[in-house]
Amino acid sequence: MLRQLEEEKVFKDPVHNSIYVQDATIWGLINTPEFQRLRRIRQLGTSYLTFHGAEHSRFSHSLGVYEITRKIISQFERNRYNDWPQEEKLVSLCASLLHDVGHGPFSHSIEQVFDTDHEVWTCDIILGDTGVNRILKEVDPQFPSMVAAVIRKTYDKPIVISLVSSQMDADRMDYLLRDAYFTGVHYGTFDLDRILRVLRPYKGRIVVKESGMHAVEDYLMSRYQMYWQIYFHPVTRSSEILLRQIFRRAGELHREGYRFGFMLPPLEQLLSGTIAVEGYLALDEAMAQTAFGQWMHERDPLLADLCRRFLNRRLYKYVPLEQPDETLAEDLKAQWRSIGLDPNYYLEMDTPTDLPYDVYKPGAAPDASDKPPVLVLDAKERLTEISLKSDIVRSIAGLHTGKYYIYYPDDLVRPHASRLKPAARELLGL
Amino acid sequence: MLRQLEEEKVFKDPVHNSIYVQDATIWGLINTPEFQRLRRIRQLGTSYLTFHGAEHSRFSHSLGVYEITRKIISQFERNRYNDWPQEEKLVSLCASLLHDVGHGPFSHSIEQVFDTDHEVWTCDIILGDTGVNRILKEVDPQFPSMVAAVIRKTYDKPIVISLVSSQMDADRMDYLLRDAYFTGVHYGTFDLDRILRVLRPYKGRIVVKESGMHAVEDYLMSRYQMYWQIYFHPVTRSSEILLRQIFRRAGELHREGYRFGFMLPPLEQLLSGTIAVEGYLALDEAMAQTAFGQWMHERDPLLADLCRRFLNRRLYKYVPLEQPDETLAEDLKAQWRSIGLDPNYYLEMDTPTDLPYDVYKPGAAPDASDKPPVLVLDAKERLTEISLKSDIVRSIAGLHTGKYYIYYPDDLVRPHASRLKPAARELLGL
Amino acid sequence: MLRQLEEEKVFKDPVHNSIYVQDATIWGLINTPEFQRLRRIRQLGTSYLTFHGAEHSRFSHSLGVYEITRKIISQFERNRYNDWPQEEKLVSLCASLLHDVGHGPFSHSIEQVFDTDHEVWTCDIILGDTGVNRILKEVDPQFPSMVAAVIRKTYDKPIVISLVSSQMDADRMDYLLRDAYFTGVHYGTFDLDRILRVLRPYKGRIVVKESGMHAVEDYLMSRYQMYWQIYFHPVTRSSEILLRQIFRRAGELHREGYRFGFMLPPLEQLLSGTIAVEGYLALDEAMAQTAFGQWMHERDPLLADLCRRFLNRRLYKYVPLEQPDETLAEDLKAQWRSIGLDPNYYLEMDTPTDLPYDVYKPGAAPDASDKPPVLVLDAKERLTEISLKSDIVRSIAGLHTGKYYIYYPDDLVRPHASRLKPAARELLGL
Amino acid sequence: MLRQLEEEKVFKDPVHNSIYVQDATIWGLINTPEFQRLRRIRQLGTSYLTFHGAEHSRFSHSLGVYEITRKIISQFERNRYNDWPQEEKLVSLCASLLHDVGHGPFSHSIEQVFDTDHEVWTCDIILGDTGVNRILKEVDPQFPSMVAAVIRKTYDKPIVISLVSSQMDADRMDYLLRDAYFTGVHYGTFDLDRILRVLRPYKGRIVVKESGMHAVEDYLMSRYQMYWQIYFHPVTRSSEILLRQIFRRAGELHREGYRFGFMLPPLEQLLSGTIAVEGYLALDEAMAQTAFGQWMHERDPLLADLCRRFLNRRLYKYVPLEQPDETLAEDLKAQWRSIGLDPNYYLEMDTPTDLPYDVYKPGAAPDASDKPPVLVLDAKERLTEISLKSDIVRSIAGLHTGKYYIYYPDDLVRPHASRLKPAARELLGL
């Protein structure tokens, strides 16, 4: 199935130094419009508003995931492990490369507001009338379905699913290193080489040799640190809230029959819930930002204000809460209304668990969406879930240190401070 | 003039680790819409199509230039050099921070096609009705003019101009390090700390102590390597050519009265040469890319084809030439026409000197645009231009190793190969 | 008290990039024979036999500790914290620079065998007839006593002691970063800049601002990883055991009146317990290794064998035990004797707590030798010990994951395997 | 010939991250006493007195050279180049690993004073009664001779010699990167991965593909910078002079029949020119430093003074000269005598060419000791020496910017300044 390129292609990559492409199918996929579109979608959504270096795209990350997968398989081949089915190489590489091809602009916010799912889009793109589909079909007419099955976790070789999607898969390893590199923090750094060396295929799964325990602990600590320092940073949360409010408001206006001063078909399809693959592929962060730029001048003052805030980075202020408090929330909403602010848009309480990242789940739960945990293989060929062996991992896995925050536009509230109750004033530092 | 912030603000930066803001004016400038807009303009234009990591913005770079300037001044203050006028600190920091605020989307291409100049725009933004102007006026009503004068190199304290703009200024130092970091190449790395340590103010200029000669050589070698490896990379050139063709074609169509399926006011003003500050500030790379995405569906096949090529990265192929050859060019154009291709758009010869980068100019020439050369101060307080002291610098400064290339769409030419002359076929490898 | 050098001296350092010396006293101390001697004593003892890069000396580390202390004080000065007594700068810098000047060759082993203490030697060198003492006395006749008091933790300004010696002092910060750099592992990396920024003097102690909690967690995790990956590595332990046996055997022979083929006065003084400052300063790792090289040819077969093993890196093999087991130990000793091996030298059980490193101790215990714990200062100026605030730190602080090992010379035991009991054979894999 | 180890051995290395040993012969060689002895010999001689981080040993470097060679061969194998003779792998790896095994303590100084040659010692160790010889003979009785032939450049497969020893061999690549890492300078950094990728075997030589030209330029620039910044640093030269004077004085005293207070057989054999392999292998830097430490107390005031200077780092001062000047030298010598200083020991003029490093020699000269130059292979399979293609390389290759210096003990000369001639006083800044 592999068709070797006459000459290996090499991408210069700041995280892995070089990314090597030896197969014509991989090369073909990278050059499809659908994959090139990932250059216009940022890997970390709005994090660039907190960490200005975080401007890297899902294109770079997808190449990185491919490269790590390639290295893992190459290690398996070098060690001639019997438990690795060699004929699964291409499907594994393709699934790794394409796993994020269904992401849209500011995916997480869009998925929440419009209830879509990038994994479903990934499969639609792989199976639909696209460049990606045509390249995959050149391998075999059934090949697109095979790749989609890996993404959906229904592929009949569980080891391939374990390779592409687990608690320590190429996806996570690349994004931790990459996000650390581009934000400039140290937390995400762990010894990738060492981890790649201690992985091995074993009875249908990818497991970790016991000698690699500490390296895995280090990886999970990196994940823990990145989770709290980067992914859950309250400034990033604040900008995501704005984004969500923009999409919600635009959807509301659309449902009300409002005539937008600026609109493009893919956006309209998104707002009306009629979007299909072709329209989805035309959506990117350039289009979203252009729309926001135009909507700054809409007649609807709410939409205009939200867009101005996002583009000019006048974010909502945040104030930590000891715990979620429904009574307080209701009380604040009432006060918001009393000073003429719509609490549906100008007040938000945030629970950090509502995010596409997690620290580590031992994952005994039968939830199908759970990624398989890390299993350690000892000298006597016994498998143990890592948190049973490592105090550090156990302590991380159980942590729920997420803070609760209230977000609101300080510049709109502050002028009316005197009309708020004393408790609210104290809470908000007014 | 300095108004210290109650608490120092710190940006996490992958190149300088941290960027420190201690002054309220600087903090105010960073938060203006005009400065935030730089987040939507890439530092390296189309280089991300060659080096996928190069997705960093002019926002990051501008902060970096500010930080290096801050460090240089701080070193001068620590050493209590008499030749440094302490009262010039704020104007120097503001000019450093704002020096690129007038850049537009894909600046270099736009400047070539529409004959504009980002330095002029920078001054227009500083002096016009903008957030930047308002913040600067809070310092003093004359302060915007002072900052603009530094940018224009007419400020009456030459040492400030020398600090902000020279052959070894904070601008270049930041972009070499930053571009190296984000592309992932090693070439741009030099010892910034050491260079900062050997700079000193001397009789109205910033000069280098002789003990720092080798560090400066190393910096200039980095520049030489980056120049050829990154800035002049033929793939990047190829994508710039496409971009230029898009803008040229759109302008041509506009002049002909063509009705665009998609248009926005700032774009129209750009095409018609009527753009002013407000419109210019609305232009960014998101808008340009959105326009290209829409223009892929224009009736004009040329514009549609060029836009598709750019967004989907179907770049022109390039073939090196031994030397520029006008006869060959004319001959190829004729052959292009004979196979039905417009040579104005589908054939380009490229001379690398046509770029906003240079390696190093000793700069005896009285050309006002030339940046002052690097002067070395020896133990006996004699100043010497560095290329007179360093064989390495002399050899770099004189090099003209730029290659000439022909660029063209291989996929459109190849089907007609049999109708081309044998010499052309050999040249193009058909 | 500070006497500024005419020109700042700069050391190139791979960890801190540059180390700056501005004061003549510091410069003088660095140039004493006693401080230069630290170049001949490795920072990590025998770790270079496990990690070949770990060949760095206590000289480099001592400069690094000085530099971090200098940066902390400089931050305090910049922020003009009232709680920092400015007149304590020089004594703090000197104590930081000199804190390890009393280390001998392979200190930890020597201290165990000969019951000496490098901290006592440090004070003896500071107060004795040495170059260090002469330089310090130039500041003030009482100055040596002041520096020694800081080392002894009896200085009357507790904040200076807190700066120089605590659970997060300059000593630990430098060695974690430096040992990680030279061994080449990633574990020891943490964000030093960030930690330096969140420290502040507060009521006689150095505390951490709450905003720096995660950075401190990261630092403590680095410490945890380095502890297990580097400092307690069983191969390093194995070589330390050999070293200890060499010194023990030489001491035993000396007591028995054995005539050594090679001996030097400082070594003899060490063996006989009569060593004083002058002799101690003549001891270094070069002398120790030279002695071992000569003792390879001693008539005493035990000493000769141990020295050969150490120099040629024929280390003892190690086998992990579930737990310490006195009965097993006695049983093995008997078997050792039965095959003609002296269990006092050829068998060792090892408990990892017996080492000069620890992970983190909240330190409520009144043990005077305990270093003060990390205190977090929140917005309401409350101080809390960090393990009360951080689940991660709490989980690290309580961990006792040290393994027990048996060490023995496999090459001497294996030929007699058949004469060992089956249980011993299984344990040792024979 | 290759005997694969059951399990690959991995060394953690700060420069290459990991070093992989897959072959039992290599593993055996690393564990010989002769190879382990390299741990006690510094890679950069006295450079640690200038750059305190430069304490790394020839052991680390030798492993690094082996690893680079292994990677090059592995690339050749992966690309299935016909011009690479696969059966030469083991001899190439062994020669790379062992190429420095004949180095003695402070080799360069010893070779100059006692007219020995480390390459000859390397062959003697390979062919003599040593552990290295025994391991090599296990492969084949002729194998030691084959490895020695590669070292001597008389092996009958020139491509193996070209791999192990050329202007861009694994030896230089490792030491540039390693010396840069440990000193902490940036100059030596180049893109090793990229260079390894552009090497290929071609008609009995290792050549560079044209696409790698700039990477090679970058490597040669690194070499140029390291040459002047590190290897020729005048402080390092100053300490080498001291070392040479110590050995010269000791030799002189020995010839005069002086009775040393401290002496060891290998040192005596070195001084008397009777040293053979066994004695040479007992020499290391620990022994040299121990001798210097003891000789500080010798009756001969000259030897005692030189040793004290070296160990306590009281180096000779240096003053640059415009050019070598024999008359000046004679004149100074006379003045030295007039103030009671022996000019043979207390005055030295230094020509930098006298060193085991060079920048780059195109090397047309038939001098057998010259290493083969770098050859570039273009698309038309033409080979060109790189300086003919690259202006940068040409300019570096021709440079002779080495400065001349006078070295002398300032503390001994200064008290007699008034008795020196005015010209001498001015020259020496007295």
Side-chain angles (χ1 to χ4, degrees), chain D residues 104-233:
Chain D
F106 306 115
S107 265
H108 188 56
S109 307
I110 282 199
E111 295 193 358
Q112 284 190 314
V113 175
F114 300 105
D115 197 24
T116 63
D117 179 341
H118 70 269
E119 225 162 86
V120 173
W121 284 114
T122 296
C123 292
D124 288 356
I125 292 167
I126 289 170
L127 300 170
D129 176 19
T130 61
V132 162
N133 182 267
R134 278 184 288 281
I135 298 285
L136 293 174
K137 270 197 302 209
E138 284 175 19
V139 177
D140 183 285
Q142 290 311 308
F143 199 60
S145 305
M146 290 166 63
V147 175
V150 177
I151 303 286
R152 284 191 195 115
K153 304 190 187 66
T154 57
Y155 194 59
D156 63 359
K157 296 278 179 59
I159 200 166
V160 175
I161 301 169
S162 168
L163 177 63
V164 172
S165 173
S166 78
Q167 293 275 350
M168 201 169 69
D169 56 23
D171 182 18
R172 282 167 200 258
M173 289 196 247
D174 185 78
Y175 75 60
L176 289 175
L177 293 173
R178 192 167 299 274
D179 298 345
Y181 188 89
F182 283 93
T183 54
V185 305
H186 297 202
Y187 311 118
T189 316
F190 54 91
D191 192 342
L192 178 64
D193 270 24
R194 180 149 172 70
I195 287 190
L196 297 187
R197 221 157 56 226
V198 297
L199 294 181
R200 53 166 293 188
Y202 184 76
K203 299 192 179 168
R205 306 185 202 190
I206 309 297
V207 303
V208 173
K209 292 188 231 170
E210 194 171 21
S211 62
M213 270 268 302
H214 281 294
V216 177
E217 284 183 353
D218 196 37
Y219 154 81
L220 288 172
M221 267 308 294
S222 295
R223 208 161 120 181
Y224 167 84
Q225 288 279 359
M226 289 295 283
Y227 191 64
W228 295 114
Q229 306 295 307
I230 308 295
Y231 305 132
F232 279 5
H233 196 289

Side-chain angles (χ1 to χ4, degrees), chain B residues 147-178:
Chain B
V147 175
V150 177
I151 304 286
R152 282 191 196 115
K153 307 190 186 63
T154 57
Y155 192 60
D156 61 358
K157 296 276 178 59
I159 201 166
V160 175
I161 302 170
S162 167
L163 177 63
V164 172
S165 172
S166 78
Q167 292 277 351
M168 202 170 67
D169 55 23
D171 183 17
R172 284 167 199 258
M173 288 195 248
D174 185 78
Y175 74 61
L176 289 176
L177 292 173
R178 193 167 298 274

Side-chain angles (χ1 to χ4, degrees), chain D residues 183-407:
Chain D
T183 54
V185 305
H186 297 202
Y187 311 118
T189 316
F190 54 91
D191 192 342
L192 178 64
D193 270 24
R194 180 149 172 70
I195 287 190
L196 297 187
R197 221 157 56 226
V198 297
L199 294 181
R200 53 166 293 188
Y202 184 76
K203 299 192 179 168
R205 306 185 202 190
I206 309 297
V207 303
V208 173
K209 292 188 231 170
E210 194 171 21
S211 62
M213 270 268 302
H214 281 294
V216 177
E217 284 183 353
D218 196 37
Y219 154 81
L220 288 172
M221 267 308 294
S222 295
R223 208 161 120 181
Y224 167 84
Q225 288 279 359
M226 289 295 283
Y227 191 64
W228 295 114
Q229 306 295 307
I230 308 295
Y231 305 132
F232 279 5
H233 196 289
V235 171
T236 306
R237 302 288 290 151
S238 176
S239 47
E240 281 173 358
I241 286 168
L242 265 181
L243 208 48
R244 229 150 57 202
Q245 311 289 47
I246 292 174
F247 285 120
R248 270 182 54 215
R249 182 63 185 164
E252 201 171 65
L253 290 172
H254 183 269
R255 278 192 301 283
E256 293 171 0
Y258 174 88
R259 270 188 66 86
F260 285 85
F262 174 86
M263 185 49 69
L264 285 171
L267 286 170
E268 181 144 42
Q269 292 155 14
L270 179 71
L271 298 182
S272 63
T274 59
I275 197 158
V277 166
E278 195 192 1
Y280 190 79
L281 286 169
L283 274 181
D284 57 27
E285 293 185 7
M287 187 186 284
Q289 287 189 315
T290 301
F292 302 163
Q294 298 303 308
W295 290 348
M296 294 199 307
H297 311 299
E298 285 291 341
R299 297 176 324 277
D300 181 62
L302 201 43
L303 181 62
D305 179 60
L306 294 167
C307 287
R308 260 195 305 272
R309 287 181 181 278
F310 184 78
L311 282 191
N312 298 341
R313 201 185 173 281
R314 315 294 305 181
L315 306 181
Y316 286 3
K317 194 182 164 185
Y318 55 93
V319 166
L321 288 182
E322 295 292 318
Q323 52 190 53
D325 184 337
E326 215 33 59
T327 318
L328 173 68
E330 288 310 314
D331 187 24
L332 282 177
K333 282 182 193 172
Q335 294 186 59
W336 249 233
R337 279 185 214 102
S338 79
I339 58 173
L341 292 179
D342 183 344
N344 286 321
Y345 285 99
Y346 285 133
L347 183 65
E348 180 129 348
M349 263 164 177
D350 178 67
T351 60
T353 50
D354 165 32
L355 257 192
Y357 294 96
D358 62 273
V359 169
Y360 178 71
K361 290 190 205 160
D367 177 356
S369 78
D370 264 18
K371 296 197 163 193
V374 178
L375 297 175
V376 176
L377 184 72
D378 68 17
K380 293 177 183 157
E381 305 245 324
R382 286 173 306 204
L383 282 179
T384 318
E385 191 277 317
I386 194 167
S387 72
L388 299 175
K389 291 211 133 194
S390 160
D391 298 277
I392 278 289
V393 175
R394 200 157 49 245
S395 81
I396 295 171
L399 290 182
H400 295 292
T401 55
K403 280 191 181 159
Y404 293 86
Y405 292 99
I406 301 180
Y407 296 86

Side-chain angles (χ1 to χ4, degrees), chain A residues 184-187 189-192 194 210 214-215 217-219 221 224-225 228-229 390-392 395-396 399-401 403, chain C residues 184-187 189-192 194 210 214-215 217-219 221 224-225 228-229 390-392 395-396 399-401 403:
Chain A
V185 304
H186 297 203
Y187 311 118
T189 314
F190 54 90
D191 191 342
L192 179 62
R194 179 149 173 70
E210 194 170 20
H214 281 294
E217 284 183 351
D218 195 38
Y219 154 82
M221 266 309 294
Y224 166 83
Q225 288 280 359
W228 294 115
Q229 305 297 306
S390 158
D391 298 279
I392 278 289
S395 81
I396 296 171
L399 292 182
H400 295 291
T401 55
K403 280 192 182 161
Chain C
V185 304
H186 297 202
Y187 311 117
T189 317
F190 55 90
D191 192 342
L192 178 64
R194 181 149 172 68
E210 194 170 23
H214 281 294
E217 284 183 352
D218 196 36
Y219 153 82
M221 267 308 294
Y224 167 83
Q225 288 281 357
W228 295 115
Q229 305 296 306
S390 159
D391 298 280
I392 279 289
S395 80
I396 295 171
L399 291 183
H400 295 292
T401 56
K403 280 190 182 160

Side-chain angles (χ1 to χ4, degrees), chain B residues 16 68-69 71-76 78-79 81 162-163 166-174 176-177 187-201 206-223 360 374-376 386 393, chain C residues 8 10 12 17-18 20, chain D residues 185-187 225 229:
Chain B
H16 304 300
I68 293 180
T69 306
K71 279 184 178 157
I72 295 173
I73 295 175
S74 154
Q75 187 254 103
F76 291 172
R78 223 164 45 227
N79 282 289
Y81 287 126
S162 167
L163 177 63
S166 78
Q167 292 277 351
M168 202 170 67
D169 55 23
D171 183 17
R172 284 167 199 258
M173 288 195 248
D174 185 78
L176 289 176
L177 292 173
Y187 310 119
T189 315
F190 55 90
D191 191 343
L192 179 63
D193 270 23
R194 178 146 174 72
I195 287 190
L196 296 186
R197 219 158 57 225
V198 297
L199 293 181
R200 53 166 293 188
I206 309 298
V207 303
V208 173
K209 291 186 231 170
E210 194 170 22
S211 61
M213 271 269 301
H214 281 293
V216 176
E217 284 183 352
D218 194 37
Y219 154 81
L220 288 172
M221 268 307 295
S222 295
R223 208 161 121 180
Y360 178 71
V374 178
L375 297 175
V376 176
I386 193 168
V393 174
Chain C
E8 182 177 79
V10 182
K12 186 76 197 164
N17 198 7
S18 298
Y20 300 91
Chain D
V185 305
H186 297 202
Y187 311 118
Q225 288 279 359
Q229 306 295 307

Side-chain angles (χ1 to χ4, degrees), chain C residues 238-271:
Chain C
S238 175
S239 47
E240 281 173 357
I241 286 168
L242 265 182
L243 208 49
R244 228 150 55 202
Q245 311 289 46
I246 292 175
F247 286 120
R248 271 182 53 216
R249 182 62 185 164
E252 201 170 65
L253 290 173
H254 183 270
R255 280 191 299 283
E256 294 171 1
Y258 174 89
R259 271 189 65 86
F260 286 84
F262 174 86
M263 186 48 70
L264 285 171
L267 285 171
E268 182 145 39
Q269 293 155 12
L270 179 71
L271 298 183

Side-chain angles (χ1 to χ4, degrees), chain C residues 313-369:
Chain C
R313 200 186 175 281
R314 315 294 305 180
L315 306 181
Y316 286 3
K317 194 181 162 186
Y318 55 93
V319 165
L321 288 183
E322 296 292 319
Q323 53 190 50
D325 183 337
E326 214 33 60
T327 318
L328 173 68
E330 287 309 314
D331 188 23
L332 282 178
K333 281 183 194 172
Q335 294 185 60
W336 249 232
R337 277 185 216 104
S338 79
I339 59 172
L341 292 179
D342 183 344
N344 285 322
Y345 286 98
Y346 285 134
L347 182 65
E348 180 128 349
M349 260 161 180
D350 177 66
T351 60
T353 50
D354 164 32
L355 256 190
Y357 295 96
D358 62 90
V359 169
Y360 177 73
K361 289 190 206 159
D367 177 357
S369 78

